[in-house]
Amino acid sequence: MADDKSLTPRSEDFASWYNEVVLKAELADYSPVRGSMVIRPWGYGIWENMQQALDRMFKETGHENAYFPLLIPMSFIQKEKDHIEGFAPELAVVTEAGGKVLEEPLVIRPTSETIIYHMYAKWVQSYRDLPILMNQWANVMRWELRTRLFLRTAEFLWQEGHTAHATADEAEAETLGILQIYRTFMEDWICMPPITGLKTESEKFAGAVRSYACEALMQDNKALQAGTSHFLGQNFSKQFDLKFQSEEGREEYAYNTSWGVSTRLIGGMVMTHGDDDGLIVPPRLAPTQVVIVPITRGDDTRSAVLEKVDEVAGRLRAAGVRVKVDGRDHLSPGAKFYEWERKGVPYRLEIGPKDLEKGSVALARRVRPEGAKRKEFVPEEEAIETLPARLEAFQDELRETARARREENTVRGVGSIGELAEAFEAGAGFVYTGWNGDPAVEEQVKEATKATSRVIPSEEFRSPRVPERCVSGDGPAAMEVVWARAY
RNA sequence: CGGGGCGUGGCGCAGCUCGGUAGCGCACCUGCUUUGGGAGCAGGGGGUCGCCGGUUCGAAUCCGGCCGCCCCGACCA
C-alpha cells in the first residue's frame, strides 16, 4: 500500500484493496485459526441490520425461527448420495470427545438439511402438519482450501431456511418466493441489484433438483453468488423418511426446499460500493448513519458546542436516525473525518463555534457528485429535518449507481466462444449467450475464458431477442445463459 | 494441493549480502499547548528477531529441518 494511511487503489490491485478495506474499516480481522476470522463490532453491526431486515421478511411470509444442533452424525450426511459427494471434501469431523474416541464421528454442519429433515420426519404424520416453514440463524463450517475474508471462510454465519410441503408445486412456489425476497433485500438494503435465475446442472447445490440464485456483479466485474434457493424435491424426504398421509389417505413423501444467505453479503457490499477512500455502507445497513464531530476550542465555547452536539444528536435519534457522537479528545477533527470515511458512515455532521454563531451545521456526505463541495453549511433546523430524507436519497443513489454499472458491464449478442473470450478479455461482467444445454460446452467455455455459467436468467433478465444458436456453434440454443468470472 | 511472497515491540518496515550494543515510522503512556481534513513539543514504556537443531568465543544475520500466514491457480455460500 502507498503508506500507512491510504489504501491500495482498486485499479492497481483489487484483491489487496478489498483486504485492506475489510481490515482497516474494522469489519473483521484474521483469527489464529487458518481460514477463520473474527467479525468486529462494525462488521457485526452491519450483519445485525441485515439479519433484522431479512428476519422480518421471512416472518412476514409465515416462517418461524428454530435452532438445530451444530454436530451431525456422520451417517446422516452420507444418506443423500449427491449431498455427500458435494460436501465430503470440506467436512470438519469430530472424532474424539471427553477424552474418548467416538463410536460414530460427528460432522460439524456444513449445512443442516440432513439433521433438519430427520427431525421433520419425526414431527410430520399428516398433510395437516404441512407445510413446515422454518429458518435458523447459525454458523456452519466448510474446510475450504483457499479462504478470503467474508467471501469464503472456514466458518461463516448465515441463515438457512428449510421447508416441507405436501406438493411439488407448493415447494417450487416457496423456492421462487424466497428468491424474490433475497432479490428485494439485496436491492433495497444492500443496494446490490442482482440478476436471478436457475443454476445449470453442474452448478446446482449438492442434493437439489433445481437451484436458483442471485448473482451480483462486483466492481472488478466478477460475479458473486449472493444467495441461493433450492428445490430439493423428494431427494431428502426419501432418505430421511419424511412421509405424511395425504387427504386421500395415501402415504407420500414431502417436498423440501432450502435457501440461504451468509455473511458473504458483507463482502458483496464492500465490493459493490467501496471506493479508494474505503468502505461505503448503505444507510439502511449502517450501524451509525450520521456521525457528529464536535469542533471544540479550549475556550468557553467548548461546553456550548458539546451541549449543542448532544441536543442535535438527541433530536436526530428521536427522528429515527442512528447517530454517534465522536467525542474523543485526543484526535484532531481531520483524523476523525478520515476514520469515519474509511468505515463508510453515510453522513458526517460537524458542529463548531462558528456554527453556534450562525445557527448552522456542516454536513458532509460519504460520496458526492462530481465537483460538489466537500461540505455543505446548512441551518441546524434544516439539517435535522432533512437528514432522514437525505439518507434515503443516498440509499437510492447507491442502488441506482450499482444497477447502472451492472448494465454497463453486461454484454449480449455474443455468438461464439471466441467472441466470449474477447468479451472477457475486454473486461466484460455478465455475458449472455445461447446454449444448447450441454455441460461439455460449460467446460469448453471455462477452458477458454475462465468464466462459468452463473444462471439461466429469469424472464425479466432475458435478452429481448433470445439467441437462436448455442455459443459453441453446436446446434440451436435450448436456452439463454449468463456467463461470468466468479468469486 | 501446485506456484510465488513474507515471518524482527500493537501495526508497517529497515538491519541479514560481509556474524559483534536490536533500530526507524506510526500507534501507546505522562505533561503542556492545540482542535473546521490525518496536531506540535518534551519526557517515557514495550521486542528471548516464527519454532527446533547445528556451526561459532559470539547468531536476527551462516547452515539444516519444521511451522504459520498472505497472494495467485484447481474446488466452493
PDB file of all heavy atoms in Angstrom, chain A residues 34 146 152-153 225 332 341 354-355, chain B residues 36-39 69 71-72 75-77:
ATOM      1  N   ARG A  34      -6.443 -20.886  10.934  1.00  0.00           N
ATOM      2  CA  ARG A  34      -6.405 -20.710   9.495  1.00  0.00           C
ATOM      3  C   ARG A  34      -7.799 -20.659   8.884  1.00  0.00           C
ATOM      4  O   ARG A  34      -8.642 -21.511   9.157  1.00  0.00           O
ATOM      5  CB  ARG A  34      -5.663 -21.891   8.859  1.00  0.00           C
ATOM      6  CG  ARG A  34      -5.433 -21.773   7.366  1.00  0.00           C
ATOM      7  CD  ARG A  34      -5.132 -23.133   6.729  1.00  0.00           C
ATOM      8  NE  ARG A  34      -6.341 -23.927   6.602  1.00  0.00           N
ATOM      9  CZ  ARG A  34      -7.122 -23.934   5.524  1.00  0.00           C
ATOM     10  NH1 ARG A  34      -6.827 -23.181   4.501  1.00  0.00           N
ATOM     11  NH2 ARG A  34      -8.201 -24.677   5.477  1.00  0.00           N
ATOM     12  N   ARG A 146      -8.897 -22.566  -0.003  1.00  0.00           N
ATOM     13  CA  ARG A 146      -8.445 -21.194  -0.100  1.00  0.00           C
ATOM     14  C   ARG A 146      -9.524 -20.258   0.430  1.00  0.00           C
ATOM     15  O   ARG A 146     -10.661 -20.293  -0.008  1.00  0.00           O
ATOM     16  CB  ARG A 146      -8.135 -20.855  -1.554  1.00  0.00           C
ATOM     17  CG  ARG A 146      -7.418 -19.557  -1.647  1.00  0.00           C
ATOM     18  CD  ARG A 146      -7.071 -19.212  -3.056  1.00  0.00           C
ATOM     19  NE  ARG A 146      -7.023 -17.770  -3.117  1.00  0.00           N
ATOM     20  CZ  ARG A 146      -7.291 -17.077  -4.197  1.00  0.00           C
ATOM     21  NH1 ARG A 146      -7.622 -17.689  -5.295  1.00  0.00           N
ATOM     22  NH2 ARG A 146      -7.216 -15.785  -4.165  1.00  0.00           N
ATOM     23  N   ARG A 152     -15.160 -16.291   1.598  1.00  0.00           N
ATOM     24  CA  ARG A 152     -15.028 -17.736   1.744  1.00  0.00           C
ATOM     25  C   ARG A 152     -14.178 -18.008   2.963  1.00  0.00           C
ATOM     26  O   ARG A 152     -12.953 -17.950   2.900  1.00  0.00           O
ATOM     27  CB  ARG A 152     -14.397 -18.360   0.499  1.00  0.00           C
ATOM     28  CG  ARG A 152     -14.548 -19.865   0.436  1.00  0.00           C
ATOM     29  CD  ARG A 152     -13.960 -20.459  -0.813  1.00  0.00           C
ATOM     30  NE  ARG A 152     -14.522 -19.895  -2.019  1.00  0.00           N
ATOM     31  CZ  ARG A 152     -13.952 -18.964  -2.769  1.00  0.00           C
ATOM     32  NH1 ARG A 152     -12.767 -18.502  -2.466  1.00  0.00           N
ATOM     33  NH2 ARG A 152     -14.552 -18.509  -3.849  1.00  0.00           N
ATOM     34  N   THR A 153     -14.823 -18.276   4.082  1.00  0.00           N
ATOM     35  CA  THR A 153     -14.084 -18.585   5.301  1.00  0.00           C
ATOM     36  C   THR A 153     -14.495 -19.970   5.768  1.00  0.00           C
ATOM     37  O   THR A 153     -15.547 -20.472   5.370  1.00  0.00           O
ATOM     38  CB  THR A 153     -14.387 -17.552   6.412  1.00  0.00           C
ATOM     39  OG1 THR A 153     -15.797 -17.306   6.444  1.00  0.00           O
ATOM     40  CG2 THR A 153     -13.657 -16.255   6.147  1.00  0.00           C
ATOM     41  N   GLN A 225     -21.968 -15.057  -6.202  1.00  0.00           N
ATOM     42  CA  GLN A 225     -23.211 -15.765  -5.878  1.00  0.00           C
ATOM     43  C   GLN A 225     -23.618 -15.318  -4.494  1.00  0.00           C
ATOM     44  O   GLN A 225     -22.962 -15.630  -3.510  1.00  0.00           O
ATOM     45  CB  GLN A 225     -22.998 -17.281  -5.926  1.00  0.00           C
ATOM     46  CG  GLN A 225     -24.246 -18.066  -5.603  1.00  0.00           C
ATOM     47  CD  GLN A 225     -24.072 -19.546  -5.869  1.00  0.00           C
ATOM     48  OE1 GLN A 225     -23.717 -19.961  -6.955  1.00  0.00           O
ATOM     49  NE2 GLN A 225     -24.309 -20.353  -4.857  1.00  0.00           N
ATOM     50  N   SER A 332      -7.576  14.807  16.367  1.00  0.00           N
ATOM     51  CA  SER A 332      -7.980  16.041  15.698  1.00  0.00           C
ATOM     52  C   SER A 332      -9.202  15.740  14.843  1.00  0.00           C
ATOM     53  O   SER A 332      -9.438  14.590  14.471  1.00  0.00           O
ATOM     54  CB  SER A 332      -6.850  16.557  14.824  1.00  0.00           C
ATOM     55  OG  SER A 332      -6.692  15.707  13.719  1.00  0.00           O
ATOM     56  N   GLU A 341     -14.847   8.051   7.294  1.00  0.00           N
ATOM     57  CA  GLU A 341     -14.975   7.828   5.852  1.00  0.00           C
ATOM     58  C   GLU A 341     -14.492   6.428   5.493  1.00  0.00           C
ATOM     59  O   GLU A 341     -15.101   5.731   4.692  1.00  0.00           O
ATOM     60  CB  GLU A 341     -14.180   8.895   5.075  1.00  0.00           C
ATOM     61  CG  GLU A 341     -14.977  10.186   4.949  1.00  0.00           C
ATOM     62  CD  GLU A 341     -14.150  11.380   4.531  1.00  0.00           C
ATOM     63  OE1 GLU A 341     -12.989  11.201   4.120  1.00  0.00           O
ATOM     64  OE2 GLU A 341     -14.677  12.502   4.626  1.00  0.00           O
ATOM     65  N   LYS A 354     -18.260  28.402  15.089  1.00  0.00           N
ATOM     66  CA  LYS A 354     -18.845  29.232  14.022  1.00  0.00           C
ATOM     67  C   LYS A 354     -20.304  28.878  13.783  1.00  0.00           C
ATOM     68  O   LYS A 354     -21.115  29.725  13.419  1.00  0.00           O
ATOM     69  CB  LYS A 354     -18.074  29.028  12.711  1.00  0.00           C
ATOM     70  CG  LYS A 354     -16.698  29.644  12.704  1.00  0.00           C
ATOM     71  CD  LYS A 354     -16.055  29.440  11.327  1.00  0.00           C
ATOM     72  CE  LYS A 354     -14.547  29.290  11.453  1.00  0.00           C
ATOM     73  NZ  LYS A 354     -13.964  28.614  10.289  1.00  0.00           N
ATOM     74  N   ASP A 355     -20.599  27.569  13.953  1.00  0.00           N
ATOM     75  CA  ASP A 355     -21.976  27.133  13.735  1.00  0.00           C
ATOM     76  C   ASP A 355     -22.892  27.668  14.824  1.00  0.00           C
ATOM     77  O   ASP A 355     -24.037  28.010  14.572  1.00  0.00           O
ATOM     78  CB  ASP A 355     -22.037  25.605  13.704  1.00  0.00           C
ATOM     79  CG  ASP A 355     -21.208  25.050  12.572  1.00  0.00           C
ATOM     80  OD1 ASP A 355     -21.500  25.376  11.421  1.00  0.00           O
ATOM     81  OD2 ASP A 355     -20.230  24.329  12.861  1.00  0.00           O
TER      82      ASP A 355
ATOM     83  P     G B  36      -8.777  21.936  13.079  1.00  0.00           P
ATOM     84  OP1   G B  36      -7.544  21.297  12.634  1.00  0.00           O
ATOM     85  OP2   G B  36      -8.980  23.407  12.844  1.00  0.00           O
ATOM     86  O5'   G B  36      -9.960  21.099  12.437  1.00  0.00           O
ATOM     87  C5'   G B  36     -11.292  21.540  12.579  1.00  0.00           C
ATOM     88  C4'   G B  36     -11.937  21.652  11.232  1.00  0.00           C
ATOM     89  O4'   G B  36     -13.229  22.242  11.411  1.00  0.00           O
ATOM     90  C3'   G B  36     -11.190  22.545  10.252  1.00  0.00           C
ATOM     91  O3'   G B  36     -11.376  22.017   8.957  1.00  0.00           O
ATOM     92  C2'   G B  36     -11.897  23.897  10.401  1.00  0.00           C
ATOM     93  O2'   G B  36     -11.874  24.635   9.198  1.00  0.00           O
ATOM     94  C1'   G B  36     -13.319  23.469  10.707  1.00  0.00           C
ATOM     95  N9    G B  36     -14.056  24.368  11.551  1.00  0.00           N
ATOM     96  C8    G B  36     -13.629  25.408  12.331  1.00  0.00           C
ATOM     97  N7    G B  36     -14.612  26.015  12.955  1.00  0.00           N
ATOM     98  C5    G B  36     -15.742  25.304  12.553  1.00  0.00           C
ATOM     99  C6    G B  36     -17.093  25.484  12.887  1.00  0.00           C
ATOM    100  O6    G B  36     -17.584  26.326  13.641  1.00  0.00           O
ATOM    101  N1    G B  36     -17.896  24.561  12.258  1.00  0.00           N
ATOM    102  C2    G B  36     -17.459  23.572  11.412  1.00  0.00           C
ATOM    103  N2    G B  36     -18.365  22.769  10.892  1.00  0.00           N
ATOM    104  N3    G B  36     -16.201  23.388  11.082  1.00  0.00           N
ATOM    105  C4    G B  36     -15.410  24.301  11.690  1.00  0.00           C
ATOM    106  P     G B  37     -10.062  21.589   8.120  1.00  0.00           P
ATOM    107  OP1   G B  37      -8.803  22.176   8.672  1.00  0.00           O
ATOM    108  OP2   G B  37     -10.405  21.762   6.699  1.00  0.00           O
ATOM    109  O5'   G B  37     -10.073  20.017   8.477  1.00  0.00           O
ATOM    110  C5'   G B  37      -9.055  19.462   9.308  1.00  0.00           C
ATOM    111  C4'   G B  37      -8.336  18.373   8.554  1.00  0.00           C
ATOM    112  O4'   G B  37      -9.319  17.473   7.991  1.00  0.00           O
ATOM    113  C3'   G B  37      -7.490  18.851   7.374  1.00  0.00           C
ATOM    114  O3'   G B  37      -6.415  17.946   7.178  1.00  0.00           O
ATOM    115  C2'   G B  37      -8.439  18.718   6.188  1.00  0.00           C
ATOM    116  O2'   G B  37      -7.767  18.531   4.974  1.00  0.00           O
ATOM    117  C1'   G B  37      -9.204  17.471   6.587  1.00  0.00           C
ATOM    118  N9    G B  37     -10.563  17.399   6.060  1.00  0.00           N
ATOM    119  C8    G B  37     -11.476  18.408   5.970  1.00  0.00           C
ATOM    120  N7    G B  37     -12.615  18.010   5.470  1.00  0.00           N
ATOM    121  C5    G B  37     -12.421  16.648   5.208  1.00  0.00           C
ATOM    122  C6    G B  37     -13.300  15.691   4.668  1.00  0.00           C
ATOM    123  O6    G B  37     -14.462  15.836   4.300  1.00  0.00           O
ATOM    124  N1    G B  37     -12.698  14.446   4.580  1.00  0.00           N
ATOM    125  C2    G B  37     -11.423  14.165   4.967  1.00  0.00           C
ATOM    126  N2    G B  37     -11.013  12.913   4.811  1.00  0.00           N
ATOM    127  N3    G B  37     -10.584  15.052   5.479  1.00  0.00           N
ATOM    128  C4    G B  37     -11.155  16.263   5.567  1.00  0.00           C
ATOM    129  P     G B  38      -5.212  18.008   8.319  1.00  0.00           P
ATOM    130  OP1   G B  38      -5.170  19.224   9.129  1.00  0.00           O
ATOM    131  OP2   G B  38      -4.050  17.586   7.520  1.00  0.00           O
ATOM    132  O5'   G B  38      -5.653  16.849   9.295  1.00  0.00           O
ATOM    133  C5'   G B  38      -5.900  15.566   8.782  1.00  0.00           C
ATOM    134  C4'   G B  38      -5.602  14.544   9.828  1.00  0.00           C
ATOM    135  O4'   G B  38      -5.773  13.242   9.265  1.00  0.00           O
ATOM    136  C3'   G B  38      -4.178  14.575  10.373  1.00  0.00           C
ATOM    137  O3'   G B  38      -4.254  13.983  11.663  1.00  0.00           O
ATOM    138  C2'   G B  38      -3.452  13.613   9.422  1.00  0.00           C
ATOM    139  O2'   G B  38      -2.346  12.996  10.065  1.00  0.00           O
ATOM    140  C1'   G B  38      -4.520  12.567   9.189  1.00  0.00           C
ATOM    141  N9    G B  38      -4.530  11.868   7.910  1.00  0.00           N
ATOM    142  C8    G B  38      -3.974  12.154   6.691  1.00  0.00           C
ATOM    143  N7    G B  38      -4.260  11.241   5.783  1.00  0.00           N
ATOM    144  C5    G B  38      -5.026  10.303   6.473  1.00  0.00           C
ATOM    145  C6    G B  38      -5.640   9.096   6.047  1.00  0.00           C
ATOM    146  O6    G B  38      -5.628   8.582   4.927  1.00  0.00           O
ATOM    147  N1    G B  38      -6.312   8.465   7.075  1.00  0.00           N
ATOM    148  C2    G B  38      -6.392   8.939   8.356  1.00  0.00           C
ATOM    149  N2    G B  38      -7.074   8.206   9.214  1.00  0.00           N
ATOM    150  N3    G B  38      -5.849  10.074   8.781  1.00  0.00           N
ATOM    151  C4    G B  38      -5.187  10.689   7.778  1.00  0.00           C
ATOM    152  P     A B  39      -4.026  14.940  12.879  1.00  0.00           P
ATOM    153  OP1   A B  39      -3.786  14.143  14.092  1.00  0.00           O
ATOM    154  OP2   A B  39      -5.134  15.913  12.800  1.00  0.00           O
ATOM    155  O5'   A B  39      -2.728  15.753  12.454  1.00  0.00           O
ATOM    156  C5'   A B  39      -1.554  15.652  13.205  1.00  0.00           C
ATOM    157  C4'   A B  39      -1.189  17.025  13.694  1.00  0.00           C
ATOM    158  O4'   A B  39      -2.230  17.548  14.553  1.00  0.00           O
ATOM    159  C3'   A B  39       0.054  17.046  14.554  1.00  0.00           C
ATOM    160  O3'   A B  39       1.212  17.061  13.724  1.00  0.00           O
ATOM    161  C2'   A B  39      -0.127  18.331  15.343  1.00  0.00           C
ATOM    162  O2'   A B  39       0.247  19.452  14.566  1.00  0.00           O
ATOM    163  C1'   A B  39      -1.650  18.363  15.539  1.00  0.00           C
ATOM    164  N9    A B  39      -2.068  17.874  16.859  1.00  0.00           N
ATOM    165  C8    A B  39      -2.806  16.767  17.165  1.00  0.00           C
ATOM    166  N7    A B  39      -3.042  16.623  18.453  1.00  0.00           N
ATOM    167  C5    A B  39      -2.415  17.712  19.014  1.00  0.00           C
ATOM    168  C6    A B  39      -2.296  18.147  20.360  1.00  0.00           C
ATOM    169  N6    A B  39      -2.822  17.510  21.381  1.00  0.00           N
ATOM    170  N1    A B  39      -1.597  19.281  20.588  1.00  0.00           N
ATOM    171  C2    A B  39      -1.072  19.922  19.542  1.00  0.00           C
ATOM    172  N3    A B  39      -1.115  19.625  18.249  1.00  0.00           N
ATOM    173  C4    A B  39      -1.813  18.495  18.057  1.00  0.00           C
ATOM    174  P     C B  69      -2.107 -20.953   8.912  1.00  0.00           P
ATOM    175  OP1   C B  69      -3.474 -21.075   9.459  1.00  0.00           O
ATOM    176  OP2   C B  69      -1.646 -21.907   7.885  1.00  0.00           O
ATOM    177  O5'   C B  69      -1.907 -19.487   8.352  1.00  0.00           O
ATOM    178  C5'   C B  69      -2.175 -18.367   9.179  1.00  0.00           C
ATOM    179  C4'   C B  69      -1.580 -17.125   8.574  1.00  0.00           C
ATOM    180  O4'   C B  69      -0.140 -17.275   8.461  1.00  0.00           O
ATOM    181  C3'   C B  69      -2.022 -16.823   7.147  1.00  0.00           C
ATOM    182  O3'   C B  69      -3.289 -16.210   7.097  1.00  0.00           O
ATOM    183  C2'   C B  69      -0.899 -15.898   6.681  1.00  0.00           C
ATOM    184  O2'   C B  69      -1.034 -14.609   7.230  1.00  0.00           O
ATOM    185  C1'   C B  69       0.321 -16.576   7.317  1.00  0.00           C
ATOM    186  N1    C B  69       0.991 -17.525   6.399  1.00  0.00           N
ATOM    187  C2    C B  69       1.859 -17.020   5.421  1.00  0.00           C
ATOM    188  O2    C B  69       2.035 -15.795   5.357  1.00  0.00           O
ATOM    189  N3    C B  69       2.486 -17.873   4.582  1.00  0.00           N
ATOM    190  C4    C B  69       2.275 -19.186   4.691  1.00  0.00           C
ATOM    191  N4    C B  69       2.911 -19.987   3.836  1.00  0.00           N
ATOM    192  C5    C B  69       1.386 -19.732   5.669  1.00  0.00           C
ATOM    193  C6    C B  69       0.771 -18.870   6.501  1.00  0.00           C
ATOM    194  P     C B  71      -5.240 -13.529   0.935  1.00  0.00           P
ATOM    195  OP1   C B  71      -6.401 -12.624   0.833  1.00  0.00           O
ATOM    196  OP2   C B  71      -5.449 -14.961   1.183  1.00  0.00           O
ATOM    197  O5'   C B  71      -4.357 -13.384  -0.377  1.00  0.00           O
ATOM    198  C5'   C B  71      -4.000 -12.093  -0.873  1.00  0.00           C
ATOM    199  C4'   C B  71      -3.038 -12.233  -2.030  1.00  0.00           C
ATOM    200  O4'   C B  71      -1.827 -12.879  -1.572  1.00  0.00           O
ATOM    201  C3'   C B  71      -3.508 -13.126  -3.166  1.00  0.00           C
ATOM    202  O3'   C B  71      -4.397 -12.473  -4.049  1.00  0.00           O
ATOM    203  C2'   C B  71      -2.193 -13.501  -3.830  1.00  0.00           C
ATOM    204  O2'   C B  71      -1.688 -12.428  -4.599  1.00  0.00           O
ATOM    205  C1'   C B  71      -1.301 -13.691  -2.612  1.00  0.00           C
ATOM    206  N1    C B  71      -1.277 -15.098  -2.152  1.00  0.00           N
ATOM    207  C2    C B  71      -0.489 -16.014  -2.858  1.00  0.00           C
ATOM    208  O2    C B  71       0.152 -15.604  -3.841  1.00  0.00           O
ATOM    209  N3    C B  71      -0.450 -17.300  -2.460  1.00  0.00           N
ATOM    210  C4    C B  71      -1.163 -17.690  -1.399  1.00  0.00           C
ATOM    211  N4    C B  71      -1.092 -18.977  -1.038  1.00  0.00           N
ATOM    212  C5    C B  71      -1.977 -16.793  -0.668  1.00  0.00           C
ATOM    213  C6    C B  71      -2.008 -15.511  -1.074  1.00  0.00           C
ATOM    214  P     C B  72      -5.545 -13.332  -4.748  1.00  0.00           P
ATOM    215  OP1   C B  72      -6.441 -12.376  -5.409  1.00  0.00           O
ATOM    216  OP2   C B  72      -6.088 -14.301  -3.781  1.00  0.00           O
ATOM    217  O5'   C B  72      -4.739 -14.140  -5.861  1.00  0.00           O
ATOM    218  C5'   C B  72      -4.043 -13.456  -6.889  1.00  0.00           C
ATOM    219  C4'   C B  72      -3.318 -14.438  -7.776  1.00  0.00           C
ATOM    220  O4'   C B  72      -2.215 -15.048  -7.041  1.00  0.00           O
ATOM    221  C3'   C B  72      -4.134 -15.641  -8.245  1.00  0.00           C
ATOM    222  O3'   C B  72      -4.999 -15.341  -9.315  1.00  0.00           O
ATOM    223  C2'   C B  72      -3.031 -16.616  -8.626  1.00  0.00           C
ATOM    224  O2'   C B  72      -2.428 -16.264  -9.853  1.00  0.00           O
ATOM    225  C1'   C B  72      -2.033 -16.379  -7.492  1.00  0.00           C
ATOM    226  N1    C B  72      -2.278 -17.307  -6.371  1.00  0.00           N
ATOM    227  C2    C B  72      -1.809 -18.628  -6.486  1.00  0.00           C
ATOM    228  O2    C B  72      -1.210 -18.971  -7.506  1.00  0.00           O
ATOM    229  N3    C B  72      -2.030 -19.493  -5.471  1.00  0.00           N
ATOM    230  C4    C B  72      -2.689 -19.100  -4.383  1.00  0.00           C
ATOM    231  N4    C B  72      -2.887 -19.980  -3.407  1.00  0.00           N
ATOM    232  C5    C B  72      -3.186 -17.772  -4.241  1.00  0.00           C
ATOM    233  C6    C B  72      -2.955 -16.916  -5.252  1.00  0.00           C
ATOM    234  P     C B  75     -12.252 -26.624 -10.917  1.00  0.00           P
ATOM    235  OP1   C B  75     -13.042 -27.400 -11.890  1.00  0.00           O
ATOM    236  OP2   C B  75     -12.551 -25.195 -10.717  1.00  0.00           O
ATOM    237  O5'   C B  75     -12.330 -27.376  -9.517  1.00  0.00           O
ATOM    238  C5'   C B  75     -13.523 -28.023  -9.112  1.00  0.00           C
ATOM    239  C4'   C B  75     -13.611 -28.102  -7.614  1.00  0.00           C
ATOM    240  O4'   C B  75     -12.419 -27.506  -7.035  1.00  0.00           O
ATOM    241  C3'   C B  75     -14.758 -27.320  -6.987  1.00  0.00           C
ATOM    242  O3'   C B  75     -15.972 -28.062  -6.967  1.00  0.00           O
ATOM    243  C2'   C B  75     -14.239 -27.020  -5.588  1.00  0.00           C
ATOM    244  O2'   C B  75     -14.428 -28.129  -4.732  1.00  0.00           O
ATOM    245  C1'   C B  75     -12.737 -26.838  -5.835  1.00  0.00           C
ATOM    246  N1    C B  75     -12.356 -25.411  -5.956  1.00  0.00           N
ATOM    247  C2    C B  75     -12.337 -24.602  -4.810  1.00  0.00           C
ATOM    248  O2    C B  75     -12.654 -25.098  -3.725  1.00  0.00           O
ATOM    249  N3    C B  75     -11.987 -23.309  -4.926  1.00  0.00           N
ATOM    250  C4    C B  75     -11.645 -22.806  -6.111  1.00  0.00           C
ATOM    251  N4    C B  75     -11.296 -21.516  -6.177  1.00  0.00           N
ATOM    252  C5    C B  75     -11.650 -23.596  -7.295  1.00  0.00           C
ATOM    253  C6    C B  75     -11.999 -24.877  -7.168  1.00  0.00           C
ATOM    254  P     C B  76     -17.375 -27.304  -6.851  1.00  0.00           P
ATOM    255  OP1   C B  76     -18.440 -28.300  -7.066  1.00  0.00           O
ATOM    256  OP2   C B  76     -17.350 -26.075  -7.680  1.00  0.00           O
ATOM    257  O5'   C B  76     -17.407 -26.877  -5.316  1.00  0.00           O
ATOM    258  C5'   C B  76     -18.576 -26.310  -4.739  1.00  0.00           C
ATOM    259  C4'   C B  76     -18.225 -25.451  -3.565  1.00  0.00           C
ATOM    260  O4'   C B  76     -16.838 -25.039  -3.656  1.00  0.00           O
ATOM    261  C3'   C B  76     -18.999 -24.145  -3.467  1.00  0.00           C
ATOM    262  O3'   C B  76     -20.229 -24.308  -2.793  1.00  0.00           O
ATOM    263  C2'   C B  76     -18.052 -23.246  -2.703  1.00  0.00           C
ATOM    264  O2'   C B  76     -18.144 -23.469  -1.315  1.00  0.00           O
ATOM    265  C1'   C B  76     -16.680 -23.721  -3.179  1.00  0.00           C
ATOM    266  N1    C B  76     -16.099 -22.886  -4.258  1.00  0.00           N
ATOM    267  C2    C B  76     -15.760 -21.549  -3.969  1.00  0.00           C
ATOM    268  O2    C B  76     -15.965 -21.095  -2.839  1.00  0.00           O
ATOM    269  N3    C B  76     -15.224 -20.795  -4.945  1.00  0.00           N
ATOM    270  C4    C B  76     -15.014 -21.309  -6.160  1.00  0.00           C
ATOM    271  N4    C B  76     -14.482 -20.532  -7.090  1.00  0.00           N
ATOM    272  C5    C B  76     -15.362 -22.663  -6.475  1.00  0.00           C
ATOM    273  C6    C B  76     -15.886 -23.398  -5.503  1.00  0.00           C
ATOM    274  P     A B  77     -21.558 -23.496  -3.357  1.00  0.00           P
ATOM    275  OP1   A B  77     -22.586 -24.525  -3.519  1.00  0.00           O
ATOM    276  OP2   A B  77     -21.239 -22.617  -4.481  1.00  0.00           O
ATOM    277  O5'   A B  77     -21.958 -22.566  -2.131  1.00  0.00           O
ATOM    278  C5'   A B  77     -23.325 -22.190  -1.965  1.00  0.00           C
ATOM    279  C4'   A B  77     -23.374 -20.797  -1.388  1.00  0.00           C
ATOM    280  O4'   A B  77     -23.013 -20.838   0.004  1.00  0.00           O
ATOM    281  C3'   A B  77     -22.389 -19.831  -2.000  1.00  0.00           C
ATOM    282  O3'   A B  77     -22.892 -19.258  -3.191  1.00  0.00           O
ATOM    283  C2'   A B  77     -22.175 -18.819  -0.903  1.00  0.00           C
ATOM    284  O2'   A B  77     -23.153 -17.848  -0.933  1.00  0.00           O
ATOM    285  C1'   A B  77     -22.321 -19.677   0.340  1.00  0.00           C
ATOM    286  N9    A B  77     -20.997 -20.008   0.863  1.00  0.00           N
ATOM    287  C8    A B  77     -20.221 -21.110   0.627  1.00  0.00           C
ATOM    288  N7    A B  77     -19.065 -21.080   1.252  1.00  0.00           N
ATOM    289  C5    A B  77     -19.098 -19.887   1.945  1.00  0.00           C
ATOM    290  C6    A B  77     -18.171 -19.258   2.803  1.00  0.00           C
ATOM    291  N6    A B  77     -16.985 -19.775   3.102  1.00  0.00           N
ATOM    292  N1    A B  77     -18.514 -18.067   3.329  1.00  0.00           N
ATOM    293  C2    A B  77     -19.699 -17.531   3.009  1.00  0.00           C
ATOM    294  N3    A B  77     -20.644 -18.026   2.218  1.00  0.00           N
ATOM    295  C4    A B  77     -20.280 -19.215   1.716  1.00  0.00           C
TER     296        A B  77
END
